[in-house]
Every structure is written in C-alpha cells, then in structure tokens.
Amino acid sequence: MRKLALILLWGLGLAQVPIGVNLPEGTSLSLSAEEVVFDLTQAPFPPPSFPFAYPPSRPQAPLSLRVFTNLEGGFAVEVQAGPLLSDRGGEIPAGQLEYRLNGGPWIPLGPRVVLLTGSGPTGGYRTHTLEFRLVLTGREAPGMYRGSLLFTLSRL
C-alpha cells in the first residue's frame, strides 16, 4: 500500500506562479439622460401666476446621477451652468433653472454649484436622484432657448 501512495505522489506535479493586480485609479460620473427639455408649447402657458415653475417635458422622470470612485479621500460633484440663450437674443439666467438632489429643497443653479460631496472609495456606484425645474418670471421673451450643464467629479 505504501508503494502505491508513493507512486501517486510522484505523479503529482506542483507549480507555483506569481500573480499580481494593477488596479488603475478610477472615477465615473454618469447621468440617465443626455438632455433636459422644457417644451412650454406642451404646458399650460401662460401660467395662472408668476413666478411659475415648470417641470421638464423630457425626461418626465427624475434623472439618476451615478458616482463611483476608488480613490481615497474626499470628492465633489459640481455642475457649471451658463444662461439659456435664445435664437432671438433673449436670455434666461442660469439661476432660473433650479435643481433638487434626493428630494431635498429646490436650489437655483448658479454659474458653479457643488451638488454633493463624499469620500471614497465608494464601494460601487452611488445613485442619486436629480430633478430640474425652470422658474419663469413673466419677463422672458418668446423664443427657443438653449444652454448646457457641465458636470465634474473631482478630488477635494
């Protein structure tokens, strides 16, 4: 019986190889929609009174803002907003576009606003609910207005 056990052990070969992982630094920021549209031709306009806040016509649901980082330390998500400009020369200040994060209070967008801060690593994606509305005062000229929002995820 011993001979059989020795023969079986000789038949087994052992190999050892080193293994390593090079995990890159990573951050990710994504939104569930590529544009937010306020089509007031589809809404009750003029409203019963001013100022009046309009929800977006597209998307009709709140946006999902997803954040991931594997970096140690603090981070911030900022949004930079300029005025909405009309093809006829009109302007709606960025502050008339308001946002709310995770059901919190409505806050006017300024030229630059910190949406949220946190610390990493996040341990996966963190999802936040982001909503927008447009507040009209009654002094806006008719026209098609366009603008853009620039979102940034950075270290603190």
Side-chain angles (χ1 to χ4, degrees), residues 35-156:
E35 71 176 350
V36 177
V37 176
F38 297 90
D39 185 357
L40 301 187
T41 63
Q42 305 297 316
F45 190 85
S49 64
F50 287 99
F52 193 82
Y54 285 96
S57 47
R58 212 174 51 235
Q60 293 182 340
L63 280 74
S64 292
L65 173 70
R66 296 182 52 184
V67 178
F68 165 80
T69 181
N70 66 357
L71 303 176
E72 295 286 338
F75 66 86
V77 176
E78 296 178 305
V79 63
Q80 191 172 357
L84 301 172
L85 303 174
S86 152
D87 53 351
R88 300 179 184 176
E91 182 177 312
I92 297 175
Q96 284 183 237
L97 186 62
E98 296 182 341
Y99 78 94
R100 110 172 138 176
L101 189 67
N102 299 325
W106 288 103
I107 301 169
L109 279 175
R112 187 178 208 102
V113 173
V114 175
L115 290 178
L116 63 98
T117 59
S119 62
T122 56
Y125 278 93
R126 291 184 186 167
T127 302
H128 302 274
T129 302
L130 181 61
E131 298 173 86
F132 292 102
R133 70 181 186 181
L134 178 64
V135 178
L136 296 182
T137 63
R139 294 186 298 271
E140 297 82 12
M144 174 69 76
Y145 291 82
R146 297 195 181 277
S148 64
L149 301 175
L150 176 63
F151 291 82
T152 307
L153 172 61
S154 58
R155 282 183 169 181
L156 291 179

